[in-house]
Amino acid sequence: MRHHPDPAPLVGWLLLDSLRHVAGPADFNDQEAASWGLAVRYTSALLKEQTGCDRVYAIAFGEGAPHLHLHLIPRFAGDPRTSAWLVADHYRAVAAGELQPAAPEHVADLVIRARSSFSDQLLQ
């Protein structure tokens, strides 16, 4: 798991990368598929905990490289930038420099809090 690099479209826009280079879940073996499902569930719960979002979108585009990068995107009911299909428009606008990206210090703060929460879970 990693945060989307700068310019990050939103604080909490995470990427979950497969360990092995595969184009998508259809290429997983049984053990990878089981581990992937647990990783998606845990990372989504962590994102909700750390951002207070209402839900988490999970999107894999698969166009840039034959390596699975699952985008886990926080959805806030009161923020139209994060609504269903508009989140892709927001992403493109940030990438094109038309909208301001997430503040790097807010991204860094979320990463620190998430790592701490993850470490706490491992110790239990």
Side-chain angles (χ1 to χ4, degrees), residues 23-34:
D27 298 324
F28 285 150
N29 61 40
D30 289 346
Q31 183 179 2
E32 290 168 330

Side-chain angles (χ1 to χ4, degrees), residues 65-117:
H67 189 127
L68 178 58
H69 305 284
L70 184 67
H71 294 249
L72 296 171
I73 306 164
R75 166 66 171 125
F76 299 93
D79 186 349
R81 299 175 306 164
T82 66
S83 65
W85 301 108
L86 293 180
V87 76
D89 294 335
H90 177 75
Y91 184 91
R92 286 189 286 271
V94 169
E98 297 165 1
L99 290 175
Q100 291 295 313
E105 61 272 16
H106 294 159
V107 169
D109 180 59
L110 178 110
V111 169
I112 289 167
R113 287 185 288 115
R115 285 182 179 157
S116 176
S117 178

Side-chain angles (χ1 to χ4, degrees), residues 11-60:
V11 174
W13 190 304
L14 302 180
L15 295 165
L16 189 61
D17 302 328
S18 61
L19 294 177
R20 187 166 62 90
H21 283 262
V22 296
D27 298 324
F28 285 150
N29 61 40
D30 289 346
Q31 183 179 2
E32 290 168 330
S35 295
W36 184 259
L38 291 172
V40 171
R41 183 183 72 184
Y42 177 78
T43 305
S44 297
L46 179 66
L47 185 54
K48 286 182 80 172
E49 171 192 307
Q50 294 298 318
T51 65
C53 65
D54 299 293
R55 59 180 303 163
V56 175
Y57 292 143
I59 301 172

